Amino acid sequence: MNKLYIGNVSAEASEEDFETIFEQWKIPHSGPFLVKTGYAFVDCPDEKAAMKAIDVLSGKVELHGKVLEVEHSVPKRQRSCKLQIRNIPPHMQWEVSPNGLLTASRVGHYQAAQLVNTDTETAVVNVRYAAKDQARLAMEKLNGSMMENYALKVSYIPDETAAPEGPPAGNRRGFNARGPPRSGSPGLGARPKVQSDIPLRILVPTQFVGAIIGKQGDTIRNITKQTHSKIDIHRKENAGAAEKPITIHSTPEGCSSACTTIMEIMQKEALDTKFTEEIPLKILAHNNFVGRLIGKEGRNLKKIEQDTGTKITISPLQDLTLYNPERTITVKGSIEACSRAEEEMMKKIRESYESDMAAMNLQSNLIPGLNLNALGLFPSGAPGMGPSMSSVPPPGAHGGCSSFGGHPESETVHLFIPALAVGAIIGKQGQHIKQLSHFAGASIKIAPAEGMDAKQRMVIIVGPPEAQFKAQCRIFGKLKEENFFGPKEEVKLEAHIKVPSFAAGRVIGKGGKTVNELQNLTCAEVVVPRDQTPDENDQVIVKISGHFFACQLAQRKIQEILAQVRRQQQPKPASGAQTPVPRRK
């Protein structure tokens, strides 16, 4: 419920305008603003931030002569039985029922209602109706209606449990909108909830694996049936290891339920076998999400510890390797406390994943034909994810790039990072930059500082398109993870690429038309400095500034222009060489 739709947007509005408004009202956002004609989208880091944006901005803030309308962005298939009613008079009398739900006689016929705590003067209530039709009628009846001089505002709440009413439009052409088709399962269609894209991965002591499986697999079969989950115990991984990974695919609730049951089985087995050591809960999480789970100065993790009464530690970055991108989160406490901590941490991890995938989908044309499965940017259980990174090609192999036609050409990009961040990128004894180079399949070097007081350092990245994507993605992510940019600040860097001097005009276009279109399309700032002196290779610099996806898209589009120029420069076949015409019989 953290994605926002901003309506009634002026054609003059820009991403910078929304950045200014959100900063002015101190509303955090976790991704770039996607500004379209008449509307925009943005992700917030949590529900509280999204609620604040709706309460503070909707119907109250004007941008270029138009009053903004802000509400939850809800896909049609998730517009089910849940509504949010805002702007309710603050002095209304609420009755608290024994089961803790709040009800109000004037809201309508519903199954449950919950008062949402906000910092605003009016009340906000989330309401669940018994059927979609009732929710739709309530929306039509209540939205805009007056209640004691207050105009109610009603919007849908995303209902993750709502199954699609029919096959997505893409399926009519034989494609599954959520990824490759899944193998059939007898009870799959009857499941009431949507399976999470992120599985829960835990580590268990090897000596307890037999008890978890049970005699002839009875125990694991019962867990699977009761929690509506698919559970994979990776017994053959790391032969002789003291711990084995278990992957649980289900709804978030199903994952948590299965995890709790497994912890209870291990606890009982420990008592039966007189195993005296503490058995903590160990969760595996991809390093891409750990920084956001920890939060700035560790605030997110500290809050989870305080709320659940657990002690949480995370394995160091030094333990990561090319084939092990996951870090181990160790949770110590009672089974109930560990279960609550698991729910909170996985909620944060799933939010991070959904935010990343939403940003990826918005830039789906980032690299035409780019094989996302080869990127290794996400953990197992989702597109491009695997428990290990065996799908990532070794340096020089550049697997997954066949769509570029055989062996893609190597590119050189100069990326400028804060000088203070050089140590974080290099890592202890150069370990991080070596792993990054190996992971991306690119050559990555940091140029010497230009002067004692240089505020920026140049990172030279050499490799094909997918290698550039992976290397730059990790560098942007590392700068955010290490807090070189503030929590409300998007990581924006400058990249330089060199183009032949004769092709610079094609990048600029007549009257600057091409470069302007490029900037509008990518949301990056693209500049070809005037009066440049070409270097010894007769090349000039194009400067690209922006957040990661904007930079990537701009780089791809410029490379497309250069490829087109190269094709046009190729010598044409001699006019005398004609294709022989077959003779008629």
Side-chain angles (χ1 to χ4, degrees), residues 497-516 518 526-534 538-543 558 561-562 565 569:
I497 60 176
K498 289 187 175 182
V499 304
S501 58
F502 62 82
R506 291 289 294 274
V507 175
I508 297 170
K510 189 174 181 180
K513 182 181 178 182
T514 304
V515 77
N516 287 337
L518 198 58
V526 181
V527 177
V528 184
R530 296 178 180 274
D531 304 324
Q532 284 191 74
T533 302
D538 196 29
Q539 292 182 319
V540 294
I541 291 172
V542 176
K543 298 181 179 180
I558 290 171
I561 293 172
L562 297 180
V565 171
Q569 282 203 325

Side-chain angles (χ1 to χ4, degrees), residues 299-360:
R299 289 173 192 165
N300 291 346
L301 215 54
K302 288 174 187 174
K303 186 176 188 306
I304 293 173
E305 285 183 317
Q306 292 168 359
D307 291 348
T308 61
T310 55
K311 175 64 178 174
I312 303 172
T313 55
I314 299 178
S315 61
L317 279 167
Q318 286 77 7
D319 291 352
L320 296 178
T321 66
L322 174 66
Y323 297 102
N324 177 28
E326 294 175 309
R327 293 169 73 178
T328 304
I329 305 169
T330 303
V331 188
K332 294 184 178 180
S334 66
I335 290 178
E336 183 182 354
C338 288
S339 296
R340 292 203 308 272
E342 177 272 327
E343 289 177 12
E344 292 300 317
M345 288 190 293
M346 288 305 297
K347 181 181 177 183
K348 288 280 184 190
I349 289 171
R350 290 182 183 106
E351 286 173 355
S352 299
Y353 164 74
E354 287 165 5
S355 174
D356 288 356
M357 288 305 292
M360 184 77 77

Side-chain angles (χ1 to χ4, degrees), residues 3 104 188 202 258 270 328 350 387 430 436 540 582:
K3 189 177 183 67
L188 194 61
I202 61 175
T328 304
R350 290 182 183 106
L436 177 56
V540 294

